[in-house]
Amino acid sequence: MKNMKKLFAGLLSITIILSGCTSNNPSKSSDVMYEIPQAKEEIIPQHDDIDFKDMKYERPDIDGIYAKIKDTIDKAKQSEQQDSVLSQYDQILKALQNYDQMQVIASIHNHLDLTDTYYEEENQLLDNEFVKLDNRMNEMTKIIMESEYKDAFVKKMGQAFIDRYEVNRKLNSPEIEALSEKETKLINQYNKRSAANDYTTIKDGKTVTIDDLDLSSFADIPAYYEIYEKRNKELGGIYQELVKTRVEIAKKLGYENYSDYAYEVLKRDYSKEDAAKFEEKVLKYIAPLYQKLNSEYSDKIHAIHDGQVDVAGGMPYLEKALQSEFPKAMQDAFAYMKQHGLYVYDDQKNMLHAGYTTIIGNEPFMFINTSDYKDPGTMFHEFGHYYNFFLMGDTIWNDSNNLDLAEVHSQGLETLMYAYYEDIYGEKAELMEISNLMNMLSSILQGACEDEFQQEVFKKPDMSLEEMNQLHAELYKKYMGYPVEYEWVDIHHHFETPFYCISYATSAASALEIWMMSMHDREDALQAYRNITQYTLNTQYLEPLKASGLSNPFDSDLIMNIADQFTKQFL
């Protein structure tokens, strides 16, 4: 099992960056009425007040952790060792906290410069060793649970911790350690090659890269596809190996198929069958809507995108918004992020092509490659993650976050920032709102499309790359209206976190519900968002939605209501 302990939330994009907007016309608001529970006051956990530049990487004492686990196992088999067993278990958990912190620091430095072999090797080493340590933790915990110290251990750790352990031990095994190591190696290989700019072709007698092409010119399109075919061949080959490796992992763990295993790893409280029914609704209501909107607005939107505000330029607008109507805890999180330099916006050529937020101990960190993500909506999106991570506090060995919920935190904040688009974009605000709302719909379509693509690929893991490309082209045309044959290899979630993509679709639907709510009653929307962001660790998706006053996207008319709202408002 790849190290899923690393708390992470990122962006999905092929050609469209996640972002969003709203109309300021309340007379066209949704007819749906909401009852929003009152939120509790946010509790801000203690933070370390340390700048990112002062966070030093030091390889953890891996051998020392193994030795401590072995000694604890030995003591658990003896009598009169209760205090020692419980104390040493605490010490091991703290050592793993430090391990996780060091791994995240190594991964960030690796992502800042994928040519830096030191951090690449350290990141891969720690990823591989975590799989083994995770197995040893499961073994040690099992032995304690079978010992005379079980009752004291359960009382100390709590039943929720024990429940997470029971789930965790099904998802890992010493049998898959070599396969997990292979998986990590392939992911790192993909990350390095996906950042490379050495895919070339010959145009007018000269060797050119993607950066040399004018993609608004029909004359450069053939060269674009020649380069992408080469990129697809190499990165797609890595993906084929990952698929086969992951299928083998699932089989060794007793799963009939990899998708069931992946959904459990992601701790989903809905099934792949639920996702398939959701995708049917998306095809019925969202796909035709998107085509109509694209026909109506694409030329107008294309004409206004030059010279727009960039990611860094969006920071003062977010700061102003937070001070005007959001909880003080969000203001504190933003100030803390700036004060301690816990973010990077850059476009260095060797950076990982991604936007994500992670957490170093209890310190959130935001990473955005601005060569890929140029819109301030990206920063609003990632700060939604950052704020939720800011509320988490310390995490331990088997803690996790829910990706569907995490993407509501991010995309929900995007929708609430639409009220500030006039300040940001001036006379372009209305079209930028429509543009970004279309991007939100696109994230629903893309998330559903990529999930269906992965479901089909993992049903037939021996599928050739040509068959994968053809499958993707057909599915993308079904959802988006035009084929994308080669570029799917740029979606790093396929490689790093299989079956993540549907979370963008489900969460975008929830975020758009917040948008509809905001047009009916802004305070209700702010309250619902405040409610949902207080769900941090070890929670699922559907119950927090209900508790926050939001709809279940699987068994409600939410998708149809979204389509109706867009039709009334924009068509």
Side-chain angles (χ1 to χ4, degrees), residues 272 454-463:
K272 63 183 182 182
Q454 289 185 84
Q455 296 284 3
E456 291 301 316
V457 167
F458 278 100
K459 285 178 186 175
K460 302 174 183 177
D462 294 324
M463 190 181 292

Side-chain angles (χ1 to χ4, degrees), residues 25 86-87 92 97 136 141 227 237 242 267 284 299 423 492 540 561 566:
N25 185 351
L86 298 182
S87 173
I92 293 165
Q97 282 182 310
R136 292 294 281 165
T141 305
I227 292 172
L242 275 169
K267 297 177 173 60
K284 181 176 180 179
D299 290 343
D423 289 342
H492 63 90
Q540 294 186 304
N561 292 340
F566 272 79

